[in-house]
């Protein structure tokens, strides 16, 4: 189904809070195999909200409205939706009881305007609020699905997971996703390489997403059971990795440093001119085998700048290997808009390179994943020999 998320609240437009609800709801609907096609933010204005709701109802199968269910005058969501659907608002006694109990438990006096929170659209399913007071509302109207959720994330998130999403799982179908993770490649190149697969997608769906110096591809399949969904995902994953496998470091919650450490079977040390120790910190945090013996930041007098970059890399790797008594060493230098990586194991020394921005802070931050994917592929090559 095609889904539109409408966030209601002038505070969102003013930049006073971040719209994390839309992100959360989008994730859950995509995990269930539905397609979120539009996010809308509208202020606390009944006419604008009505216009947006009427337009979205014409275009989408599912409308999810977040916010505007509270007790104040600017909480207009369900009143406006009721008008659009030409339906009445009625007191839901169960919700009213919950609201009254809430005030009693907190030893507070309930003001009359709180009765507004127990109003629901006639004929709607009520989504119990287990954290706050305003219940959620789910209405089916002329083959459309309209959902209204409270704005506070601590109320919305458990309501979505526990109360709402069971309505949107596709019958007895199992929904399963795998997130493929890539670095050292841009989103535009990924899309270009996979355009024919994306255009032809059905089940599983293929959803590329640019992250911080990486790209992810979410494959989502639906089927009778997990075996079916895994078998649907497998050939698409295989084809994607045929095309982009060099840049792939793992799936789901894997990180590039974890991928490197999984293949690393010898102790090592690092000489670093580029990432200012950030690469060492990432690896050290995940080094459960204690293979990383130490690192050294670059000092200009240490290397002969008139020497070739290859010789400088070799000198640096030999030095930290000896200094930390490690079996392997990695040196990282930059010159003329290029990052050079020296990889030393035993008597074998290799140099890998990639282009990178000259601005120091960009090179420091962006280079980390490029270094790790280069390192990972060096390890893969070593194992395959």
């Amino acid at each position: 189904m095609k889904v539109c998320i409408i966030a209601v609240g002038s505070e969102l437009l003013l930049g006073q809070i971040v719209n994390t609800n839309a992100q959360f709801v989008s994730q859950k609907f995509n995990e269930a195999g539905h397609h979120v096609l539009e996010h809308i933010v509208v202020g606390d204005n009944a006419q604008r909200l009505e216009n947006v709701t009427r337009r979205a109802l014409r275009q989408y199968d599912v409308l999810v409205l977040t916010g505007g269910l509270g007790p104040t005058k600017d909480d207009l969501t369900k009143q406006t939706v009721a008008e659009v659907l030409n339906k009445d608002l009625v007191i839901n006694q169960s919700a009213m009881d919950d609201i009254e109990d809430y005030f009693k438990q907190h030893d507070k006096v309930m003001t009359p305007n709180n009765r507004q929170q127990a109003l629901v659209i006639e004929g709607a399913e009520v989504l119990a609020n287990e954290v706050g007071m305003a219940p959620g509302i789910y209405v089916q109207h002329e083959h459309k699905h309209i959902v209204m959720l409270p704005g506070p994330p601590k109320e919305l998130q458990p309501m979505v997971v526990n109360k709402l999403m069971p309505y949107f799982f596709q019958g007895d179908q199992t929904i399963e996703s795998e997130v493929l993770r890539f670095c050292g490649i841009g989103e535009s190149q990924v899309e270009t390489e996979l355009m024919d697969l994306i255009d032809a997608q059905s089940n599983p769906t293929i959803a590329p997403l640019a992250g911080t110096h990486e790209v992810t591809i979410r494959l989502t399949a639906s089927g009778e059971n997990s075996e079916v969904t895994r078998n649907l995902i497998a050939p698409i994953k295989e084809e994607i990795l045929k095309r982009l496998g060099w840049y792939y470091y793992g799936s789901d919650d894997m990180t590039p440093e974890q991928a490197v450490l999984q293949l690393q079977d010898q102790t090592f040390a690092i000489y670093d001119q580029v990432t200012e120790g950030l690469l060492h910190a990432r690896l050290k945090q995940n080094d459960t085998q204690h293979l990383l013996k130490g690192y050294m930041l670059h000092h200009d007098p240490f290397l002969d700048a008139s020497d070739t970059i290859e010789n400088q890399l070799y000198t640096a790797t030999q030095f930290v290997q000896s200094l930390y008594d490690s079996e392997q060493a990695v040196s990282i230098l930059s010159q003329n808009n290029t990052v050079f990586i020296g990889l030393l194991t035993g008597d074998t020394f290799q140099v890998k390179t990639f282009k990178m921005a000259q601005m120091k802070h960009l090179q420091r931050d962006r280079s980390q994943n490029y270094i790790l994917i280069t390192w990972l592929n060096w390890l893969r090559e070593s194992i395959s020999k």
Side-chain angles (χ1 to χ4, degrees), residues 85-381:
L85 301 181
N86 196 26
K87 290 181 176 288
D88 293 328
L89 288 171
V90 296
I91 288 285
N92 179 269
Q93 192 56 50
S94 177
M96 190 72 251
D97 292 343
D98 288 343
I99 292 168
E100 290 174 344
D101 287 344
Y102 180 90
F103 280 94
K104 288 177 183 177
Q105 290 172 11
H106 290 79
D107 198 23
K108 293 181 179 180
V109 176
M110 189 184 88
T111 55
N113 59 352
N114 279 286
R115 289 179 60 84
Q116 177 176 306
Q117 296 189 93
L119 289 171
V120 301
I121 294 174
E122 61 175 336
E125 298 284 342
V126 176
L127 308 176
N129 190 334
E130 297 175 345
V131 180
M133 286 184 284
I137 302 170
Y138 169 51
V139 183
Q140 293 189 60
H141 178 75
E142 296 179 355
H143 307 294
K144 303 284 184 174
H145 305 261
I146 304 98
V147 179
M148 286 149 275
L149 301 169
K154 68 178 183 180
E155 299 178 26
L156 175 141
Q157 292 182 10
M159 186 181 292
V160 168
V161 173
N162 301 321
K163 307 298 182 181
L164 177 62
M165 292 318 297
Y167 288 103
F168 289 95
F169 286 119
Q170 300 174 349
D172 295 327
Q173 296 286 291
T174 295
I175 308 294
E176 192 161 335
S177 294
E178 181 175 354
V179 178
L180 311 182
R181 297 188 174 277
F182 303 83
C183 60
I185 187 172
E187 184 184 23
S188 59
Q189 186 179 347
V190 167
E191 185 173 276
T192 299
E193 294 288 345
L194 304 180
M195 185 59 71
D196 60 318
L197 299 179
I198 294 170
D199 287 343
Q201 67 178 302
S202 55
N203 185 23
T205 58
I206 305 170
L209 177 67
T212 304
H213 312 313
E214 70 168 16
V215 178
T216 63
I217 299 174
R218 179 184 292 275
L219 302 178
T220 303
S222 61
E224 296 176 3
N225 52 54
S226 291
E227 183 179 0
V228 171
T229 55
R230 287 195 297 268
N231 288 339
L232 287 168
I233 288 172
I236 299 298
K237 176 183 177 180
E238 182 180 0
E239 181 58 32
I240 290 172
L241 295 187
K242 278 183 182 177
R243 305 181 190 190
L244 302 175
W246 194 91
Y247 305 98
Y248 171 74
Y249 65 82
S251 292
D252 299 326
D253 296 327
M254 180 67 69
T255 65
E257 55 270 30
Q258 288 170 344
V260 166
L261 289 167
Q262 279 188 0
L263 291 188
Q264 186 75 37
D265 61 357
Q266 297 184 33
T267 59
F268 64 98
I270 301 172
Y271 184 95
D272 185 1
Q273 182 197 29
V274 176
T275 79
E276 299 177 2
L278 294 176
L279 183 65
H280 168 267
R282 288 175 64 175
L283 288 161
K284 192 67 177 177
Q285 189 173 10
N286 291 275
D287 182 23
T288 58
Q289 300 181 75
H290 306 293
L291 297 174
L292 176 52
K293 294 303 181 183
Y295 81 108
M296 177 178 176
L297 292 177
H298 172 67
H299 299 280
D300 287 331
F302 180 74
L303 298 177
D304 182 0
S306 65
D307 205 350
T308 65
I309 191 71
E310 289 79 8
N311 285 343
Q312 292 182 59
L313 286 166
Y314 187 62
T315 299
T317 51
Q318 277 194 317
F319 182 81
V320 292
Q321 183 185 44
S322 175
L323 178 66
Y324 292 106
D325 191 25
S326 64
E327 296 165 292
Q328 293 182 351
V330 178
S331 56
I332 309 160
L333 301 175
S334 65
Q335 187 180 88
N336 299 328
N337 209 29
T338 300
V339 173
F340 294 82
I341 307 170
L343 300 151
L344 178 65
T345 180
D347 296 327
T348 304
F349 179 70
Q350 292 186 39
V351 176
K352 308 287 185 179
T353 66
F354 58 86
K355 295 288 184 180
M356 186 53 63
Q358 285 183 317
M359 294 178 66
K360 188 175 181 180
H361 71 283
L362 289 177
Q363 190 176 88
R364 177 198 64 204
D365 295 336
R366 293 183 62 193
S367 286
Q368 294 175 50
N369 278 1
Y370 283 74
I371 293 165
L372 287 166
I373 197 67
T374 303
W375 190 342
L376 180 62
N377 279 291
W378 174 67
L379 292 171
R380 288 168 175 166
E381 291 169 8

Side-chain angles (χ1 to χ4, degrees), residues 8-33:
V8 183
S10 297
E11 66 275 10
L12 294 165
L13 294 173
L14 293 171
Q16 294 173 342
I17 63 171
V18 177
N19 188 13
T20 57
N21 285 339
Q23 178 188 31
F24 183 82
V25 175
S26 287
Q27 288 173 345
K28 297 307 172 186
F29 271 90
N30 279 294
E31 287 171 4

